[in-house]
Amino acid sequence: MNQYTPLILGIIDTLNDWNEKLNDFASGHMDNVAIGTAVVAAVFVISAWGISVLNKK
């Protein structure tokens, strides 16, 4: 387990960096209703596509 600790810490650092970037983007752009609607629509479309792909036999 100790051999994977640096890898896990690196992944956590990357996720924290992405989180900070997303928070900066959201604080600057999510006040606009059109952008918020586009983000929700994109999440919905990607989710529907993922569900359809994963449900194929």
Side-chain angles (χ1 to χ4, degrees):
M1 181 67 183
N2 288 337
Q3 63 186 358
Y4 297 113
T5 303
L7 179 62
I8 293 170
L9 292 176
I11 292 171
I12 290 172
D13 287 339
T14 302
L15 289 175
N16 284 334
D17 290 341
W18 288 356
N19 186 34
E20 289 176 10
K21 289 178 184 177
L22 287 173
N23 284 338
D24 291 340
F25 176 81
S27 68
H29 295 93
M30 294 304 274
D31 291 338
N32 188 343
V33 174
I35 293 177
T37 303
V39 169
V40 170
V43 169
F44 178 76
V45 168
I46 291 169
S47 299
W49 172 77
I51 290 169
S52 68
V53 167
L54 292 174
N55 282 333
K56 289 182 181 177
K57 290 184 178 182

